[in-house]
Amino acid sequence: MPARIIGTGSALPKKAVSNGELEKLMDTTDEWIRSRTGIENRYIAVEETTTSMAVEAAKRALENAGIGAEELDLIIVGTISADMCFPSTACQLQDALSAVHATAFDINAACAGFLFGLTIAEAYMRAGMARTALVVGAETLSKMMDWNDRSTCVLFGDGAGAAVVRKDEIGIDGIVQGSDGARGSALVCENRLVNNPFIQNGNRIDYAKMDGQAVYKFAVKTVPQTITEVLEKTKTEAGQIKYFLLHQANIRIIESVAKKLNQPIEKFPTNLQECGNISAGSVPILLDFVNREGKLERGDKIVLAGFGAGLTWGAAVVTW
Ligand code: COA
């Protein structure tokens, strides 16, 4: 397989918001949030933006990889919370990095955004269209929350993660991905509605809405199936995997996946306790945490898996 992750980086907002702080803002409790989700804290953007965090994460990933931005020929940003409709976050990131040789674009695959970005980068390399790519997941979800809807706003946080991917003999052993638009209504956020001088409804801002139980059922069924599929595709036994790095939505989803795969929970590192759910940012931020803790050695096999709005999902077996 032709693509290897050679560097990671992440960036989080300065402002930490604990469950206790949310208790002061709305009718919720630390006990409810912790017992239903595992989340204890999240970081909320005040000075930061989706692009500024993408830039920070990308710089750290480039430094970790030991390469310069001019070596990048592809930049993909997975995001559902770009600062601007256009230009894309990826183009703004390209400018900030002076990555003058890169083609840059955003993708919207929600919480599977990083996995979809990795798939595209790998496919470009397989097609001979890129040698070095930057794949980023960056979100400012706090601006998309209805802060009066306690069932949703307590779950999410802001941040960005990035990985430098380079054409190589080993690395991404295999990826599977999928989508089911028919179930998309489980997790939605409207963009600008049709608005022009010829209609009456005007513009309004809407916020994220979620059928939590529908998303939960989707995740506990589809994630283990997808991981099993990618393990079979790559002829890998679950026992060979050192870490399963899953999208950080809910500790109960992760525990359920571990049980279904018959793997010890210790193989499933988490940071949702500290960071909450950062959609496309979750998987690359967790990967960066694990990498910087020195837990990955060359040759280790890991699984990355993302799932969320769309519905979308994806999983990869990666040799470090
Ligand atoms: N604090 C206190 N109470 C809350 C609350 C909060 N933040 N949010 C909801 N509640 C209340 C509800 O109003 C409801 O009260 P009622 O029984 O009086 O009507 C009660 O808690 C139970 O709500 P329910 O929605 O049935 O809880 P749940 O056990 O399904 O847990 C989720 C809710 C959201 C934690 C759970 O469904 C979940 O994790 N789903 C997956 C969501 C997810 O991961 N999405 C992102 C995927 S990318």
Side-chain angles (χ1 to χ4, degrees), residues 49-80:
T49 65
T50 298
T51 302
S52 75
M53 292 187 287
V55 171
E56 273 317 301
K59 284 182 177 168
R60 289 174 189 156
L62 288 168
E63 196 185 342
N64 186 240
I67 70 159
E70 70 287 349
E71 295 181 57
L72 295 173
D73 39 32
L74 180 64
I75 298 177
I76 303 171
V77 178
T79 184
I80 52 172

Side-chain angles (χ1 to χ4, degrees), residues 26-29 32-33 36-37 111 149-152 154-156 187 210-219 247-250 252-253 277 279 307-309:
M26 64 192 77
D27 181 16
T28 191
T29 60
W32 192 96
I33 302 170
R36 292 293 209 295
T37 70
C111 309
D149 176 6
R150 65 179 182 171
S151 67
T152 305
V154 302
L155 306 175
F156 296 94
L187 189 45
M210 182 178 67
D211 177 346
Q213 290 183 4
V215 175
Y216 189 90
K217 282 182 196 152
F218 148 68
H247 173 52
Q248 299 290 292
N250 185 315
R252 292 189 297 153
I253 293 174
N277 178 346
S279 193
F307 54 89

